mmCIF file of all heavy atoms in Angstrom:
data_model
loop_
_atom_site.group_PDB
_atom_site.id
_atom_site.type_symbol
_atom_site.label_atom_id
_atom_site.label_comp_id
_atom_site.label_asym_id
_atom_site.label_seq_id
_atom_site.Cartn_x
_atom_site.Cartn_y
_atom_site.Cartn_z
ATOM 1 N N ILE A 113 -17.944 13.547 25.663
ATOM 2 C CA ILE A 113 -18.747 13.646 24.440
ATOM 3 C C ILE A 113 -18.771 12.301 23.709
ATOM 4 O O ILE A 113 -19.829 11.842 23.267
ATOM 5 C CB ILE A 113 -18.202 14.762 23.533
ATOM 6 C CG1 ILE A 113 -18.517 16.140 24.149
ATOM 7 C CG2 ILE A 113 -18.785 14.651 22.123
ATOM 8 C CD1 ILE A 113 -17.861 17.297 23.420
ATOM 9 N N VAL A 114 -17.625 11.663 23.611
ATOM 10 C CA VAL A 114 -17.553 10.382 22.909
ATOM 11 C C VAL A 114 -18.285 9.290 23.675
ATOM 12 O O VAL A 114 -19.105 8.549 23.100
ATOM 13 C CB VAL A 114 -16.082 9.975 22.673
ATOM 14 C CG1 VAL A 114 -16.001 8.553 22.129
ATOM 15 C CG2 VAL A 114 -15.414 10.944 21.701
ATOM 16 N N GLU A 115 -18.016 9.176 24.978
ATOM 17 C CA GLU A 115 -18.562 8.068 25.765
ATOM 18 C C GLU A 115 -20.044 8.247 26.082
ATOM 19 O O GLU A 115 -20.797 7.266 26.111
ATOM 20 C CB GLU A 115 -17.767 7.935 27.071
ATOM 21 C CG GLU A 115 -16.316 7.536 26.893
ATOM 22 C CD GLU A 115 -16.166 6.143 26.304
ATOM 23 O OE1 GLU A 115 -16.992 5.261 26.627
ATOM 24 O OE2 GLU A 115 -15.221 5.931 25.521
ATOM 25 N N LYS A 116 -20.481 9.497 26.316
ATOM 26 C CA LYS A 116 -21.847 9.728 26.790
ATOM 27 C C LYS A 116 -22.760 10.327 25.723
ATOM 28 O O LYS A 116 -23.974 10.385 25.908
ATOM 29 C CB LYS A 116 -21.813 10.640 28.019
ATOM 30 C CG LYS A 116 -21.104 9.969 29.188
ATOM 31 C CD LYS A 116 -20.610 10.938 30.244
ATOM 32 C CE LYS A 116 -19.722 10.187 31.218
ATOM 33 N NZ LYS A 116 -19.073 11.064 32.207
ATOM 34 N N GLY A 117 -22.171 10.742 24.605
ATOM 35 C CA GLY A 117 -22.948 11.269 23.500
ATOM 36 C C GLY A 117 -22.888 10.376 22.276
ATOM 37 O O GLY A 117 -23.904 9.863 21.806
ATOM 38 N N PHE A 118 -21.675 10.141 21.773
ATOM 39 C CA PHE A 118 -21.519 9.404 20.525
ATOM 40 C C PHE A 118 -21.841 7.915 20.671
ATOM 41 O O PHE A 118 -22.593 7.348 19.865
ATOM 42 C CB PHE A 118 -20.099 9.546 19.989
ATOM 43 C CG PHE A 118 -19.731 10.931 19.541
ATOM 44 C CD1 PHE A 118 -18.448 11.199 19.075
ATOM 45 C CD2 PHE A 118 -20.637 11.983 19.593
ATOM 46 C CE1 PHE A 118 -18.095 12.476 18.649
ATOM 47 C CE2 PHE A 118 -20.294 13.255 19.188
ATOM 48 C CZ PHE A 118 -19.006 13.501 18.716
ATOM 49 N N LYS A 119 -21.272 7.253 21.668
ATOM 50 C CA LYS A 119 -21.456 5.800 21.778
ATOM 51 C C LYS A 119 -22.915 5.409 22.014
ATOM 52 O O LYS A 119 -23.397 4.460 21.388
ATOM 53 C CB LYS A 119 -20.544 5.235 22.859
ATOM 54 C CG LYS A 119 -19.079 5.199 22.436
ATOM 55 C CD LYS A 119 -18.204 4.448 23.401
ATOM 56 C CE LYS A 119 -16.764 4.372 22.877
ATOM 57 N NZ LYS A 119 -15.856 3.671 23.822
ATOM 58 N N PRO A 120 -23.670 6.128 22.865
ATOM 59 C CA PRO A 120 -25.082 5.773 23.023
ATOM 60 C C PRO A 120 -25.908 5.980 21.753
ATOM 61 O O PRO A 120 -27.001 5.410 21.635
ATOM 62 C CB PRO A 120 -25.554 6.696 24.156
ATOM 63 C CG PRO A 120 -24.323 7.026 24.919
ATOM 64 C CD PRO A 120 -23.245 7.103 23.886
ATOM 65 N N ALA A 121 -25.413 6.784 20.809
ATOM 66 C CA ALA A 121 -26.121 6.940 19.531
ATOM 67 C C ALA A 121 -26.056 5.665 18.702
ATOM 68 O O ALA A 121 -26.806 5.522 17.723
ATOM 69 C CB ALA A 121 -25.548 8.114 18.744
ATOM 70 N N ASP A 122 -25.161 4.771 19.071
ATOM 71 C CA ASP A 122 -25.133 3.400 18.547
ATOM 72 C C ASP A 122 -24.967 3.358 17.036
ATOM 73 O O ASP A 122 -25.657 2.617 16.336
ATOM 74 C CB ASP A 122 -26.410 2.661 18.965
ATOM 75 C CG ASP A 122 -26.293 1.144 18.838
ATOM 76 O OD1 ASP A 122 -25.158 0.647 18.793
ATOM 77 O OD2 ASP A 122 -27.339 0.479 18.788
ATOM 78 N N ASN A 123 -24.042 4.178 16.536
ATOM 79 C CA ASN A 123 -23.672 4.167 15.119
ATOM 80 C C ASN A 123 -24.885 4.211 14.192
ATOM 81 O O ASN A 123 -25.021 3.428 13.255
ATOM 82 C CB ASN A 123 -22.811 2.941 14.798
ATOM 83 C CG ASN A 123 -22.192 3.029 13.407
ATOM 84 O OD1 ASN A 123 -22.052 4.115 12.838
ATOM 85 N ND2 ASN A 123 -21.811 1.881 12.863
ATOM 86 N N GLY A 124 -25.784 5.161 14.491
ATOM 87 C CA GLY A 124 -26.922 5.369 13.602
ATOM 88 C C GLY A 124 -28.117 4.489 13.882
ATOM 89 O O GLY A 124 -29.097 4.536 13.129
ATOM 90 N N ARG A 125 -28.064 3.700 14.954
ATOM 91 C CA ARG A 125 -29.168 2.778 15.227
ATOM 92 C C ARG A 125 -30.122 3.274 16.314
ATOM 93 O O ARG A 125 -31.187 2.687 16.503
ATOM 94 C CB ARG A 125 -28.606 1.406 15.622
ATOM 95 C CG ARG A 125 -27.968 0.659 14.461
ATOM 96 C CD ARG A 125 -27.523 -0.724 14.859
ATOM 97 N NE ARG A 125 -26.337 -0.689 15.700
ATOM 98 C CZ ARG A 125 -25.098 -0.736 15.242
ATOM 99 N NH1 ARG A 125 -24.870 -0.819 13.943
ATOM 100 N NH2 ARG A 125 -24.072 -0.714 16.071
ATOM 101 N N LYS A 126 -29.764 4.346 17.019
ATOM 102 C CA LYS A 126 -30.669 4.869 18.041
ATOM 103 C C LYS A 126 -31.963 5.358 17.382
ATOM 104 O O LYS A 126 -31.972 5.813 16.241
ATOM 105 C CB LYS A 126 -29.981 6.028 18.776
ATOM 106 C CG LYS A 126 -30.616 6.378 20.117
ATOM 107 C CD LYS A 126 -30.393 5.308 21.158
ATOM 108 C CE LYS A 126 -30.918 5.772 22.516
ATOM 109 N NZ LYS A 126 -30.833 4.705 23.530
ATOM 110 N N GLY A 127 -33.053 5.297 18.119
ATOM 111 C CA GLY A 127 -34.363 5.546 17.541
ATOM 112 C C GLY A 127 -34.535 6.894 16.878
ATOM 113 O O GLY A 127 -35.260 7.021 15.878
ATOM 114 N N PHE A 128 -33.869 7.935 17.403
ATOM 115 C CA PHE A 128 -34.070 9.270 16.833
ATOM 116 C C PHE A 128 -33.615 9.352 15.383
ATOM 117 O O PHE A 128 -34.079 10.209 14.630
ATOM 118 C CB PHE A 128 -33.377 10.339 17.669
ATOM 119 C CG PHE A 128 -31.867 10.325 17.597
ATOM 120 C CD1 PHE A 128 -31.198 10.954 16.555
ATOM 121 C CD2 PHE A 128 -31.118 9.693 18.577
ATOM 122 C CE1 PHE A 128 -29.811 10.945 16.487
ATOM 123 C CE2 PHE A 128 -29.729 9.690 18.527
ATOM 124 C CZ PHE A 128 -29.074 10.307 17.474
ATOM 125 N N TYR A 129 -32.709 8.475 14.971
ATOM 126 C CA TYR A 129 -32.248 8.493 13.580
ATOM 127 C C TYR A 129 -33.370 8.156 12.602
ATOM 128 O O TYR A 129 -33.318 8.533 11.433
ATOM 129 C CB TYR A 129 -31.092 7.506 13.384
ATOM 130 C CG TYR A 129 -29.755 8.005 13.870
ATOM 131 C CD1 TYR A 129 -29.138 7.441 14.981
ATOM 132 C CD2 TYR A 129 -29.089 9.032 13.208
ATOM 133 C CE1 TYR A 129 -27.900 7.883 15.423
ATOM 134 C CE2 TYR A 129 -27.852 9.492 13.637
ATOM 135 C CZ TYR A 129 -27.262 8.908 14.752
ATOM 136 O OH TYR A 129 -26.038 9.359 15.197
#
Side-chain angles (χ1 to χ4, degrees):
I113 288 172
V114 172
E115 295 295 325
K116 295 160 190 174
F118 293 178
K119 287 189 176 178
D122 197 20
N123 191 22
R125 289 184 287 269
K126 198 69 174 175
F128 71 83
Y129 281 111

